Amino acid sequence: MANIIHRVGIKAQVHDVYKALTTLEGLSNWWTREVSGAAEEGKEIVFVFKTPSGEVKGSMRMKVMKQSQDRTVQWRCTEGPAEWIGTDITFDLSQEGEYAIVLFGHRNWKEEVEFMGHCSTKWAIFMMSLKDLIEKGKGQPSPIDVKIDNWN
């Protein structure tokens, strides 16, 4: 199994980051504007990605596996790109002084493939979008995210 991990420090309280990870409004302000479902443990969230002109490029369905207040969020991908099915997305949170630390993981890829490299870079961009949302009040969710190649 292969994993993507990123560590990001956000000048904020952990609770503010947790809220951005566990509410539809929060998620739509840093990852993708098109979010539906219920961001509660045992429920599912659907994320739709569109081009700036509104064309649907893809979607993912995540089952919320675990939420521990201000500490952990874990999703399992149940629909989306074939490489994502069965993978886990994790956000482990801690407070270190004035920084909320996010240890992000996209775990349990079956194999390291080129698409994993694309996703790793995109996750880093979205982690910076989360940081900007919390620190500056505005993220860059899809479709206004930084485009890195011809796959997005």
XYZ file of all heavy atoms in Angstrom, residues 3-101:
787
model
N 0.890 5.675 0.439
C 0.188 6.780 1.090
C 0.705 8.126 0.611
O 1.885 8.267 0.313
C 0.379 6.721 2.617
C -0.152 5.459 3.230
O -1.225 4.999 2.890
N 0.610 4.895 4.154
N -0.192 9.101 0.600
C 0.165 10.504 0.424
C 0.026 11.133 1.801
O -0.994 10.928 2.476
C -0.802 11.211 -0.544
C -0.693 10.636 -1.954
C -0.584 12.724 -0.531
C -1.801 11.090 -2.895
N 1.030 11.890 2.249
C 0.877 12.635 3.503
C 1.412 14.051 3.316
O 2.320 14.284 2.522
C 1.566 11.951 4.709
C 3.074 11.831 4.507
C 0.940 10.602 4.991
C 3.808 11.411 5.774
N 0.797 14.975 4.043
C 1.241 16.366 4.074
C 1.058 16.881 5.503
O 0.104 16.511 6.180
C 0.423 17.249 3.126
C 0.583 16.897 1.691
N 1.742 17.133 0.990
C -0.275 16.311 0.810
C 1.591 16.717 -0.263
N 0.383 16.208 -0.396
N 1.949 17.748 5.933
C 1.844 18.403 7.243
C 1.768 19.899 7.004
O 2.652 20.474 6.361
C 3.052 18.079 8.123
C 2.972 18.687 9.516
C 4.244 18.353 10.310
N 4.162 18.740 11.705
C 4.470 19.953 12.172
N 4.887 20.907 11.349
N 4.375 20.206 13.464
N 0.711 20.525 7.527
C 0.498 21.958 7.334
C 0.197 22.587 8.685
O -0.623 22.076 9.452
C -0.692 22.216 6.367
C -0.947 23.703 6.206
C -0.438 21.568 5.021
N 0.847 23.718 8.975
C 0.562 24.499 10.165
C -0.298 25.694 9.799
O 0.023 26.423 8.853
N -1.382 25.879 10.530
C -2.310 26.980 10.272
C -2.392 27.828 11.528
O -2.659 27.305 12.616
C -3.708 26.430 9.896
C -3.599 25.541 8.652
C -4.695 27.571 9.688
C -4.887 24.809 8.292
N -2.135 29.129 11.397
C -2.197 30.019 12.557
C -3.655 30.185 12.959
O -4.368 31.054 12.452
C -1.585 31.376 12.244
C -0.112 31.434 12.450
C 0.372 32.872 12.434
C 1.804 32.916 12.907
N 2.324 34.276 12.892
N -4.098 29.300 13.855
C -5.493 29.276 14.282
C -5.640 28.269 15.411
O -4.688 27.551 15.751
C -6.401 28.873 13.121
N -6.834 28.213 15.938
C -7.175 27.187 16.910
C -7.658 25.947 16.165
O -8.300 26.049 15.114
C -8.251 27.696 17.872
C -7.789 28.848 18.749
C -6.611 28.441 19.623
O -6.699 27.484 20.396
N -5.503 29.157 19.487
N -7.359 24.784 16.701
C -7.752 23.529 16.078
C -9.254 23.492 15.787
O -9.680 22.986 14.752
C -7.322 22.337 16.968
C -7.988 21.049 16.536
C -5.818 22.179 16.934
N -10.051 24.042 16.673
C -11.501 24.004 16.486
C -11.922 24.663 15.164
O -12.848 24.181 14.499
C -12.230 24.670 17.664
C -13.712 24.631 17.504
N -14.441 23.468 17.667
C -14.591 25.589 17.155
C -15.710 23.720 17.429
N -15.836 24.997 17.123
N -11.249 25.747 14.786
C -11.594 26.423 13.524
C -11.296 25.536 12.318
O -12.054 25.507 11.342
C -10.835 27.744 13.403
C -11.219 28.729 14.497
O -12.387 28.721 14.919
O -10.336 29.498 14.923
N -10.198 24.807 12.377
C -9.849 23.891 11.292
C -10.834 22.721 11.269
O -11.331 22.335 10.205
C -8.399 23.389 11.441
C -8.054 22.390 10.345
C -7.424 24.564 11.442
N -11.131 22.185 12.422
C -12.071 21.066 12.519
C -13.420 21.445 11.897
O -14.010 20.649 11.150
C -12.244 20.661 13.990
C -13.114 19.456 14.201
C -12.619 18.166 14.009
C -14.441 19.596 14.605
C -13.413 17.050 14.216
C -15.240 18.487 14.808
C -14.725 17.216 14.608
O -15.526 16.110 14.807
N -13.881 22.644 12.161
C -15.158 23.111 11.597
C -15.101 23.154 10.066
O -16.064 22.797 9.393
C -15.501 24.487 12.169
C -16.853 25.002 11.769
C -17.155 26.325 12.459
C -18.453 26.899 11.938
N -18.731 28.212 12.495
N -13.966 23.567 9.510
C -13.818 23.621 8.051
C -13.774 22.226 7.429
O -14.042 22.065 6.244
C -12.561 24.401 7.677
N -13.455 21.217 8.224
C -13.379 19.839 7.751
C -14.666 19.051 7.981
O -14.830 17.964 7.424
C -12.231 19.105 8.450
C -10.832 19.639 8.226
C -9.846 18.921 9.153
C -10.419 19.500 6.770
N -15.565 19.578 8.811
C -16.727 18.787 9.233
C -18.066 19.461 8.963
O -19.092 19.016 9.478
C -16.626 18.431 10.728
O -16.556 19.649 11.486
C -15.421 17.550 11.013
N -18.060 20.522 8.152
C -19.316 21.150 7.747
C -19.313 21.286 6.228
O -18.254 21.473 5.613
C -19.501 22.545 8.372
O -18.478 23.422 7.886
C -19.470 22.491 9.903
N -20.477 21.174 5.620
C -20.563 21.326 4.165
C -20.093 22.710 3.751
O -19.392 22.857 2.745
C -21.983 21.063 3.677
C -22.531 19.655 3.918
C -23.935 19.521 3.327
C -21.609 18.583 3.384
N -20.447 23.732 4.519
C -20.010 25.097 4.207
C -18.489 25.192 4.254
O -17.861 25.759 3.357
C -20.624 26.099 5.170
C -20.173 27.511 4.907
C -20.713 28.518 5.912
O -21.357 28.133 6.893
O -20.458 29.711 5.700
N -17.891 24.645 5.290
C -16.439 24.688 5.401
C -15.766 23.972 4.245
O -14.852 24.508 3.605
N -16.217 22.764 3.935
C -15.626 21.982 2.845
C -15.748 22.689 1.503
O -14.825 22.666 0.695
C -16.282 20.601 2.784
C -15.995 19.698 3.980
C -16.981 18.531 4.013
C -14.556 19.209 3.961
N -16.884 23.355 1.289
C -17.097 24.041 0.004
C -16.253 25.300 -0.131
O -16.140 25.848 -1.232
C -18.576 24.392 -0.174
O -18.958 25.423 0.708
N -15.647 25.724 0.940
C -14.820 26.930 0.891
C -13.327 26.656 0.747
O -12.545 27.592 0.639
C -15.085 27.797 2.123
C -16.379 28.553 2.007
O -16.643 29.185 0.986
N -17.214 28.481 3.025
N -12.921 25.375 0.721
C -11.505 25.084 0.492
C -11.254 23.948 -0.493
O -10.218 23.935 -1.149
C -10.743 24.825 1.796
C -11.100 23.561 2.506
C -12.028 23.409 3.501
C -10.537 22.254 2.295
N -12.084 22.099 3.899
C -11.175 21.365 3.180
C -9.554 21.758 1.447
C -10.877 20.004 3.246
C -9.251 20.404 1.501
C -9.908 19.539 2.393
N -12.178 22.971 -0.656
C -11.892 21.856 -1.564
C -12.644 21.997 -2.880
O -12.037 22.152 -3.923
C -12.176 20.513 -0.900
C -11.581 19.355 -1.658
C -10.588 19.410 -2.598
C -11.932 17.981 -1.555
N -10.296 18.148 -3.081
C -11.113 17.248 -2.449
C -12.845 17.287 -0.780
C -11.191 15.873 -2.597
C -12.914 15.912 -0.925
C -12.099 15.224 -1.829
N -13.960 21.940 -2.840
C -14.760 22.177 -4.046
C -16.071 22.829 -3.643
O -16.616 22.512 -2.582
C -15.013 20.891 -4.861
O -15.745 21.225 -6.049
C -15.766 19.835 -4.078
N -16.534 23.737 -4.477
C -17.761 24.465 -4.163
C -18.992 23.563 -4.162
O -19.976 23.878 -3.523
C -17.950 25.599 -5.158
C -16.968 26.722 -4.955
C -17.253 27.848 -5.893
N -16.374 28.967 -5.611
C -16.082 29.893 -6.492
N -16.597 29.856 -7.707
N -15.268 30.879 -6.166
N -18.934 22.462 -4.897
C -20.078 21.555 -5.047
C -19.993 20.430 -4.014
O -19.326 19.419 -4.255
C -20.108 20.971 -6.455
C -20.217 22.000 -7.552
C -21.637 22.495 -7.763
O -22.602 21.757 -7.464
O -21.775 23.637 -8.227
N -20.655 20.599 -2.885
C -20.641 19.612 -1.805
C -22.081 19.358 -1.365
O -22.848 20.300 -1.179
C -19.818 20.114 -0.597
C -19.784 19.076 0.512
C -18.404 20.502 -1.005
N -22.424 18.088 -1.180
C -23.755 17.752 -0.678
C -23.663 16.522 0.214
O -22.628 15.864 0.283
C -24.727 17.498 -1.837
O -24.285 16.396 -2.618
N -24.741 16.199 0.878
C -24.773 15.054 1.779
C -24.770 15.517 3.215
O -25.273 16.598 3.532
N -24.185 14.699 4.080
C -24.133 15.004 5.510
C -22.732 14.713 6.025
O -22.246 13.587 5.906
C -25.158 14.177 6.272
N -22.092 15.723 6.579
C -20.716 15.589 7.082
C -20.735 15.113 8.529
O -20.175 15.740 9.417
C -19.985 16.922 6.939
N -21.385 13.966 8.737
C -21.495 13.394 10.079
C -21.022 11.946 10.040
O -21.177 11.263 9.029
C -22.955 13.422 10.536
C -23.569 14.799 10.569
C -25.091 14.743 10.711
O -25.635 13.691 11.107
O -25.722 15.758 10.403
N -20.486 11.475 11.145
C -19.990 10.107 11.208
C -21.077 9.124 10.773
O -22.225 9.226 11.200
C -19.515 9.798 12.628
C -18.641 8.575 12.717
C -17.935 8.443 14.039
O -17.319 9.431 14.500
O -17.997 7.336 14.607
N -20.697 8.196 9.878
C -21.634 7.207 9.364
C -22.415 7.655 8.138
O -23.051 6.839 7.481
N -22.365 8.926 7.807
C -23.083 9.479 6.647
C -22.123 9.623 5.475
O -20.944 9.318 5.570
C -23.691 10.841 6.992
C -24.587 10.851 8.213
C -25.896 10.201 7.929
C -26.795 10.362 9.154
N -28.120 9.912 8.942
N -22.642 10.128 4.339
C -21.822 10.294 3.144
C -21.844 11.732 2.642
O -22.855 12.422 2.765
C -22.307 9.360 2.029
C -22.062 7.902 2.358
C -22.376 6.992 1.198
O -23.328 7.273 0.441
O -21.654 5.993 1.047
N -20.713 12.123 2.081
C -20.552 13.442 1.476
C -20.202 13.226 0.010
O -19.368 12.374 -0.320
C -19.408 14.243 2.134
C -19.504 14.245 3.654
C -19.383 15.676 1.590
C -18.270 14.779 4.346
N -20.827 14.003 -0.873
C -20.531 13.941 -2.302
C -19.842 15.238 -2.704
O -20.331 16.337 -2.393
C -21.814 13.732 -3.129
C -21.486 13.758 -4.626
C -22.485 12.421 -2.745
N -18.704 15.102 -3.376
C -17.926 16.233 -3.858
C -17.928 16.195 -5.385
O -17.541 15.188 -5.967
C -16.480 16.144 -3.354
C -16.346 16.132 -1.860
C -16.313 14.934 -1.156
C -16.257 17.315 -1.148
C -16.185 14.918 0.222
C -16.130 17.315 0.231
C -16.095 16.116 0.916
N -18.357 17.278 -6.026
C -18.389 17.359 -7.484
C -17.395 18.427 -7.916
O -17.373 19.531 -7.361
C -19.803 17.686 -8.007
C -19.801 17.828 -9.522
C -20.791 16.617 -7.563
N -16.590 18.082 -8.928
C -15.579 18.993 -9.450
C -15.980 19.414 -10.849
O -16.296 18.580 -11.689
C -14.203 18.325 -9.443
C -13.716 18.065 -8.050
C -14.154 16.958 -7.342
C -12.854 18.947 -7.437
C -13.729 16.724 -6.047
C -12.421 18.736 -6.139
C -12.865 17.622 -5.444
N -15.980 20.731 -11.077
C -16.371 21.293 -12.362
C -15.270 22.193 -12.897
O -14.429 22.677 -12.148
C -17.660 22.110 -12.219
C -18.868 21.287 -11.838
C -20.113 22.151 -11.771
C -21.353 21.311 -11.478
N -22.550 22.143 -11.415
N -15.337 22.425 -14.194
C -14.446 23.405 -14.818
C -14.993 24.791 -14.496
O -16.155 24.934 -14.080
C -14.408 23.224 -16.346
O -15.712 23.514 -16.859
C -13.972 21.824 -16.735
N -14.191 25.843 -14.698
C -14.715 27.202 -14.479
C -15.963 27.512 -15.311
O -16.800 28.310 -14.906
C -13.536 28.099 -14.866
C -12.332 27.265 -14.551
C -12.743 25.856 -14.949
N -16.128 26.828 -16.458
C -17.319 27.058 -17.290
C -18.514 26.219 -16.854
O -19.597 26.352 -17.420
C -17.001 26.777 -18.759
O -16.677 25.409 -18.930
N -18.327 25.344 -15.847
C -19.438 24.573 -15.303
C -19.526 23.129 -15.747
O -20.404 22.390 -15.302
N -18.608 22.678 -16.603
C -18.604 21.278 -17.049
C -18.131 20.376 -15.909
O -17.116 20.649 -15.264
C -17.657 21.135 -18.245
C -17.470 19.715 -18.711
C -16.350 19.591 -19.740
O -15.857 20.630 -20.235
O -15.962 18.449 -20.024
N -18.869 19.297 -15.645
C -18.481 18.362 -14.595
C -17.247 17.579 -15.050
O -17.230 16.994 -16.125
C -19.636 17.390 -14.255
C -19.165 16.322 -13.267
C -20.820 18.146 -13.687
N -16.200 17.606 -14.207
C -14.961 16.884 -14.501
C -14.872 15.574 -13.719
O -14.166 14.668 -14.124
C -13.745 17.751 -14.159
C -13.571 18.970 -15.026
C -13.135 18.616 -16.409
C -11.671 18.257 -16.412
N -11.117 18.006 -17.725
N -15.558 15.497 -12.598
C -15.512 14.279 -11.796
C -16.215 14.479 -10.474
O -16.600 15.594 -10.119
N -16.397 13.366 -9.760
C -17.020 13.447 -8.434
C -16.488 12.316 -7.566
O -15.960 11.326 -8.069
C -18.541 13.377 -8.545
O -18.944 12.117 -9.030
N -16.635 12.500 -6.270
C -16.241 11.502 -5.288
C -17.322 11.431 -4.214
O -17.909 12.438 -3.855
C -14.926 11.883 -4.585
C -13.718 11.809 -5.430
S -13.315 13.458 -5.960
C -11.789 13.170 -6.793
N -17.537 10.233 -3.720
C -18.434 10.013 -2.585
C -17.577 9.473 -1.449
O -16.837 8.502 -1.626
C -19.535 9.034 -2.947
C -20.529 8.766 -1.821
C -21.607 7.788 -2.257
N -22.391 8.330 -3.351
C -23.509 9.046 -3.209
N -23.968 9.315 -2.001
N -24.161 9.493 -4.267
N -17.690 10.120 -0.302
C -16.904 9.727 0.867
C -17.841 9.352 2.008
O -18.784 10.099 2.324
C -16.024 10.891 1.356
C -15.082 11.463 0.331
S -13.750 10.339 -0.024
C -12.906 11.272 -1.290
N -17.573 8.218 2.616
C -18.278 7.857 3.835
C -17.469 8.398 5.009
O -16.252 8.192 5.073
C -18.431 6.348 3.968
C -19.202 5.961 5.211
C -19.518 4.492 5.264
C -20.353 4.223 6.519
N -20.645 2.804 6.654
N -18.127 9.114 5.904
C -17.446 9.648 7.082
C -17.289 8.492 8.070
O -18.253 8.023 8.664
C -18.229 10.822 7.713
C -17.481 11.350 8.935
C -18.462 11.929 6.690
N -16.069 8.029 8.222
C -15.775 6.869 9.064
C -15.588 7.240 10.531
O -15.965 6.480 11.418
C -14.506 6.168 8.562
C -14.576 5.717 7.105
S -15.921 4.566 6.783
C -15.314 3.116 7.643
N -14.976 8.425 10.748
C -14.654 8.801 12.127
C -14.538 10.309 12.223
O -13.992 10.965 11.329
C -13.334 8.156 12.535
C -12.892 8.450 13.957
C -11.588 7.732 14.271
C -11.145 8.015 15.687
N -9.870 7.382 16.012
N -15.057 10.844 13.310
C -14.852 12.248 13.669
C -14.689 12.317 15.174
O -15.581 11.899 15.903
C -16.036 13.121 13.228
C -16.106 13.323 11.748
C -17.186 14.297 11.299
O -17.185 14.672 10.163
N -18.099 14.700 12.146
N -13.551 12.793 15.614
C -13.295 13.028 17.035
C -13.095 14.526 17.192
O -12.158 15.087 16.609
C -12.044 12.288 17.505
O -12.212 10.897 17.371
N -13.958 15.161 17.942
C -13.988 16.618 18.089
C -12.586 17.214 18.219
O -11.850 16.867 19.142
C -14.827 17.009 19.306
C -14.948 18.494 19.556
C -15.826 19.192 18.530
O -16.861 18.696 18.146
N -15.400 20.360 18.094
N -12.239 18.072 17.264
C -10.982 18.825 17.258
C -9.727 17.953 17.196
O -8.632 18.416 17.476
C -10.894 19.757 18.475
C -11.980 20.818 18.467
O -12.619 21.040 17.422
O -12.211 21.422 19.534
N -9.886 16.659 16.801
C -8.726 15.770 16.764
C -8.561 15.009 15.450
O -7.479 14.965 14.893
C -8.787 14.762 17.911
C -8.699 15.404 19.281
C -8.608 14.382 20.388
N -7.600 13.364 20.160
C -6.318 13.466 20.494
N -5.881 14.556 21.054
N -5.483 12.479 20.271
N -9.641 14.397 14.964
C -9.516 13.491 13.823
C -10.744 13.527 12.936
O -11.869 13.600 13.431
C -9.337 12.031 14.306
O -8.199 11.956 15.150
C -9.168 11.075 13.145
N -10.509 13.453 11.631
C -11.560 13.251 10.640
C -11.054 12.173 9.696
O -9.907 12.233 9.239
C -11.869 14.547 9.848
C -12.900 14.289 8.762
C -12.325 15.655 10.790
N -11.891 11.178 9.415
C -11.509 10.117 8.484
C -12.667 9.818 7.545
O -13.794 9.615 7.991
C -11.121 8.835 9.218
C -10.745 7.708 8.272
C -10.468 6.405 8.989
O -10.382 6.347 10.205
N -10.325 5.338 8.224
N -12.371 9.814 6.243
C -13.342 9.446 5.215
C -12.833 8.222 4.471
O -11.631 8.023 4.345
C -13.505 10.554 4.176
C -13.844 11.917 4.663
C -14.601 12.266 5.754
C -13.466 13.150 4.046
N -14.709 13.636 5.844
C -14.016 14.205 4.806
C -12.712 13.468 2.918
C -13.842 15.542 4.473
C -12.537 14.799 2.585
C -13.099 15.826 3.350
N -13.760 7.444 3.919
C -13.407 6.355 2.998
C -14.086 6.635 1.669
O -15.289 6.896 1.618
C -13.859 5.009 3.544
C -13.551 3.870 2.563
C -13.358 2.539 3.217
N -12.288 2.585 4.200
C -12.369 1.999 5.409
N -13.444 1.320 5.742
N -11.364 2.093 6.252
N -13.310 6.569 0.596
C -13.848 6.824 -0.735
C -14.641 5.598 -1.202
O -14.098 4.496 -1.282
C -12.732 7.145 -1.717
S -13.353 7.578 -3.354
N -15.925 5.813 -1.511
C -16.787 4.724 -1.978
C -17.122 4.857 -3.460
O -17.514 3.867 -4.075
C -18.078 4.652 -1.146
O -18.790 5.891 -1.256
C -17.778 4.355 0.315
N -16.991 6.053 -4.015
C -17.186 6.288 -5.448
C -16.227 7.378 -5.883
O -16.001 8.332 -5.155
C -18.613 6.751 -5.753
C -19.682 5.716 -5.553
C -21.074 6.244 -5.836
O -21.223 7.256 -6.560
O -22.030 5.654 -5.309
N -15.692 7.233 -7.090
C -14.769 8.217 -7.632
C -13.814 7.546 -8.585
O -14.120 6.480 -9.132
N -12.636 8.132 -8.776
C -11.640 7.494 -9.640
C -11.321 6.086 -9.114
O -11.277 5.867 -7.894
C -10.421 8.403 -9.527
C -10.950 9.713 -9.038
C -12.155 9.389 -8.203
N -11.101 5.152 -10.023
C -10.846 3.754 -9.629
C -9.736 3.649 -8.591
O -9.836 2.857 -7.644
C -10.507 2.924 -10.867
N -8.682 4.452 -8.743
C -7.546 4.385 -7.814
C -7.923 4.834 -6.401
O -7.220 4.511 -5.448
C -6.386 5.256 -8.327
C -5.803 4.800 -9.643
C -6.497 5.438 -10.856
O -7.593 6.026 -10.712
O -5.935 5.342 -11.957
N -8.999 5.611 -6.274
C -9.413 6.128 -4.973
C -10.337 5.195 -4.204
O -10.428 5.280 -2.980
C -10.129 7.468 -5.147
C -9.253 8.645 -5.383
C -8.135 8.716 -6.166
C -9.435 9.949 -4.839
N -7.621 9.985 -6.153
C -8.405 10.771 -5.335
C -10.384 10.512 -3.999
C -8.289 12.113 -5.012
C -10.275 11.851 -3.660
C -9.233 12.642 -4.164
N -11.056 4.325 -4.892
C -12.050 3.470 -4.235
C -11.370 2.646 -3.140
O -10.371 1.970 -3.375
C -12.750 2.530 -5.243
C -13.369 3.325 -6.390
C -13.789 1.654 -4.531
C -14.447 4.293 -6.008
N -11.907 2.753 -1.923
C -11.365 2.033 -0.780
C -10.223 2.722 -0.062
O -9.759 2.234 0.968
N -9.772 3.869 -0.582
C -8.712 4.611 0.114
C -9.328 5.443 1.241
O -10.533 5.725 1.248
C -7.927 5.530 -0.833
O -8.815 6.497 -1.412
C -7.236 4.727 -1.928
N -8.502 5.826 2.186
C -8.933 6.643 3.323
C -8.267 8.002 3.271
O -7.059 8.101 3.024
C -8.576 5.967 4.649
C -9.372 4.699 4.874
O -10.586 4.692 4.606
O -8.778 3.697 5.330
N -9.057 9.034 3.531
C -8.552 10.396 3.653
C -8.624 10.738 5.138
O -9.682 10.600 5.764
C -9.372 11.392 2.806
C -9.072 11.214 1.311
C -9.032 12.819 3.162
C -9.836 10.214 0.605
N -7.493 11.137 5.718
C -7.436 11.407 7.151
C -6.884 12.803 7.416
O -6.017 13.292 6.693
C -6.545 10.372 7.876
O -5.225 10.411 7.326
C -7.113 8.971 7.746
N -7.424 13.413 8.440
C -6.956 14.698 8.933
C -6.765 14.529 10.434
O -7.739 14.398 11.182
C -8.000 15.798 8.685
C -8.420 15.951 7.249
C -9.468 15.190 6.739
C -7.800 16.861 6.408
C -9.887 15.333 5.419
C -8.211 17.018 5.087
C -9.259 16.244 4.586
N -5.515 14.496 10.873
C -5.218 14.424 12.304
C -4.772 15.799 12.748
O -3.864 16.389 12.157
C -4.147 13.367 12.568
C -4.662 11.970 12.279
O -5.752 11.638 12.774
O -3.989 11.225 11.547
N -5.428 16.309 13.784
C -5.231 17.694 14.222
C -4.593 17.752 15.598
O -4.898 16.941 16.476
C -6.583 18.413 14.271
C -7.446 18.340 13.008
C -8.805 18.976 13.254
C -6.743 18.995 11.837
N -3.727 18.743 15.774
C -3.147 19.015 17.090
C -2.838 20.502 17.179
O -2.714 21.184 16.165
C -1.879 18.183 17.319
O -0.884 18.516 16.370
N -2.733 20.994 18.389
C -2.397 22.390 18.622
C -0.958 22.463 19.098
O -0.584 21.798 20.065
C -3.330 22.997 19.679
C -3.242 24.492 19.805
C -3.930 25.212 18.648
O -5.037 24.878 18.270
N -3.270 26.217 18.101
N -0.124 23.236 18.410
C 1.256 23.462 18.814
C 1.471 24.961 18.873
O 1.717 25.606 17.851
C 2.232 22.792 17.844
C 2.151 21.270 17.866
C 3.188 20.589 17.002
O 4.189 21.247 16.624
O 3.002 19.401 16.699
N 1.318 25.520 20.074
C 1.426 26.965 20.230
C 0.314 27.651 19.464
O -0.854 27.291 19.592
N 0.686 28.617 18.630
C -0.326 29.355 17.873
C -0.757 28.639 16.592
O -1.600 29.135 15.857
C 0.177 30.761 17.557
C 1.402 30.809 16.659
C 1.922 32.225 16.435
O 1.214 33.197 16.726
O 3.070 32.339 15.962
N -0.195 27.457 16.341
C -0.494 26.724 15.109
C -1.387 25.511 15.356
O -1.111 24.694 16.245
C 0.789 26.225 14.437
C 1.530 27.312 13.715
C 2.521 28.040 14.363
C 1.239 27.626 12.390
C 3.201 29.050 13.715
C 1.923 28.635 11.731
C 2.899 29.346 12.406
O 3.574 30.338 11.753
N -2.405 25.389 14.530
C -3.153 24.146 14.411
C -2.389 23.328 13.370
O -2.194 23.784 12.245
C -4.577 24.410 13.947
N -1.939 22.160 13.753
C -1.192 21.294 12.837
C -2.165 20.294 12.221
O -2.913 19.616 12.927
C -0.055 20.554 13.567
C 0.914 21.552 14.224
C 0.674 19.602 12.618
C 1.616 22.497 13.273
